[in-house]
Amino acid sequence: MEFIFDTHAHYDDPAFDADRLDFLKDLQSCGIKGIVNVGADIKTSQLSTEYAEHFNNVFAAVGVYPQNVGNLPDNYLDILEELAQKQKVVALGEIGLDYHYDTVDKKLQQRCFEEQLELAKNLNLPAIIHSRDAAEDTLAILKNTKPQRFVVHCFSYSLEVAKQLVALDCYFGFTGVITFKNAKKSVEVLKELPLNRILVETDCPYMAPEPNRGKRCDSSMLRFTVQKIAQIKGLQNLEMIKSLNKNASEFYKINI
Ligand SMILES: [Zn+2]
């Protein structure tokens, strides 16, 4: 069996309070080579660095998610910078724009997104980007800040937006959503993307793939997502896994 690297997971989530350690201690029994645990605020970024410190094959990303930028301390960038110096921190994220819920001021989201992209550049780290209902502003900010490497995770936009992102050398993260019946738009995008720009992720505990849609997602379900991606790209599973692992390794600059 070929082990898969899960490029985006949230084992800090309360959904894993009862069995978090079982997963982090023994990812191999899920068929998983390693994971990046992605922060969404200061606290979960800190937790991500602790997991990375304690567990083999667990890496961390630190950052503040757009819906969480409302009550940040003034020195949040200093705090993130300090966390980013810890061992096995491989990216800034997840950061971005989310206009789906009208709860956090758009200008504030944009400012924090730009500031964290600049920090990523200064630290020589790639950025993990969350973007929902905000394609135009996301593109404008990326064109302006020009991060070295970035992924738009859980990609949900049209082929037209994807093409503009390909021109910026973007990576594209796909979750279990690609296995859903109504994922036609994402399938169309995935078909067109270059093989070396595709990353696979659970985004667990969210986005469980078919046949587990609606359940708590964990990394053991990643194989269903990989199977679907392989089918769409017309590759054997093994070939697909090798390609996805290589992309993860190049994106995060880690040996996996
Ligand atoms: Zn996420």
Side-chain angles (χ1 to χ4, degrees):
M1 188 168 81
E2 189 74 20
F3 292 95
I4 315 166
F5 191 86
D6 186 353
T7 63
H8 187 125
H10 301 282
Y11 281 100
D12 53 86
D13 194 281
F16 290 110
D17 278 353
D19 54 2
R20 174 177 302 117
L21 291 183
D22 299 337
F23 286 104
L24 295 177
K25 269 193 309 205
D26 187 16
L27 289 162
Q28 287 214 343
S29 68
C30 293
I32 293 295
K33 235 182 169 68
I35 63 162
V36 176
N37 202 81
V38 180
D41 55 20
I42 300 291
K43 182 171 166 251
T44 54
S45 294
Q46 165 84 41
L47 285 171
S48 298
T49 65
E50 288 171 15
Y51 301 158
E53 201 178 320
H54 287 107
F55 300 100
N56 281 336
N57 308 317
V58 174
F59 299 84
V62 300
V64 181
Y65 184 82
Q67 291 294 320
N68 295 333
V69 297
N71 288 311
L72 283 173
D74 289 343
N75 64 340
Y76 86 98
L77 285 170
D78 297 333
I79 298 172
L80 285 181
E81 183 167 358
E82 203 178 308
L83 286 174
Q85 316 288 338
K86 293 187 185 273
Q87 51 176 309
K88 292 163 76 193
V89 174
V90 293
L92 254 278
E94 53 188 292
I95 63 177
L97 301 175
D98 193 326
Y99 297 168
H100 188 72
Y101 305 103
D102 204 13
T103 48
V104 181
D105 179 63
K106 289 179 181 174
K107 287 277 173 245
L108 179 63
Q109 291 191 38
Q110 290 161 16
R111 198 193 80 207
C112 291
F113 183 31
E114 285 167 336
E115 286 174 347
Q116 292 182 87
L117 281 174
E118 289 298 335
L119 179 62
K121 260 167 52 174
N122 293 339
L123 296 172
N124 228 339
L125 288 172
I128 302 167
I129 294 168
H130 169 100
S131 178
R132 191 174 185 198
D133 296 345
E136 207 176 306
D137 287 350
T138 303
L139 277 163
I141 287 175
L142 288 169
K143 279 179 189 160
N144 203 23
T145 49
K146 297 191 181 66
Q148 281 144 333
R149 268 190 332 288
F150 64 95
V151 58
V152 175
H153 106 96
C154 197
F155 190 79
S156 63
Y157 291 131
S158 65
L159 184 56
E160 194 198 340
V161 172
K163 282 179 176 166
Q164 293 185 63
L165 285 165
V166 166
L168 299 174
D169 212 16
C170 178
Y171 283 74
F172 296 79
F174 289 91
T175 63
V177 171
I178 196 76
T179 68
F180 298 171
K181 275 205 177 65
N182 55 357
K184 282 205 184 93
K185 197 171 68 177
S186 301
V187 170
E188 186 197 4
V189 169
L190 184 53
K191 265 187 195 152
E192 297 294 323
L193 287 178
L195 260 186
N196 67 354
R197 284 295 176 271
I198 302 166
L199 298 178
V200 73
E201 52 170 305
T202 52
D203 201 19
C204 65
Y206 315 105
M207 309 296 180
E210 293 288 2
N212 296 307
R213 186 172 182 177
K215 293 187 186 157
R216 183 189 75 169
C217 183
D218 66 57
S219 296
S220 70
M221 299 176 190
L222 193 58
R223 64 199 168 93
F224 297 113
T225 308
V226 170
Q227 276 164 17
K228 183 71 184 185
I229 295 175
Q231 188 196 326
I232 294 165
K233 297 306 276 182
L235 290 178
Q236 299 289 334
N237 273 342
L238 191 63
E239 267 180 294
M240 195 70 241
I241 292 171
K242 281 182 179 160
S243 168
L244 291 166
N245 285 349
K246 183 165 182 274
N247 295 346
S249 164
E250 285 171 359
F251 182 77
Y252 288 122
K253 298 272 183 257
I254 48 179
N255 280 322
I256 51 174

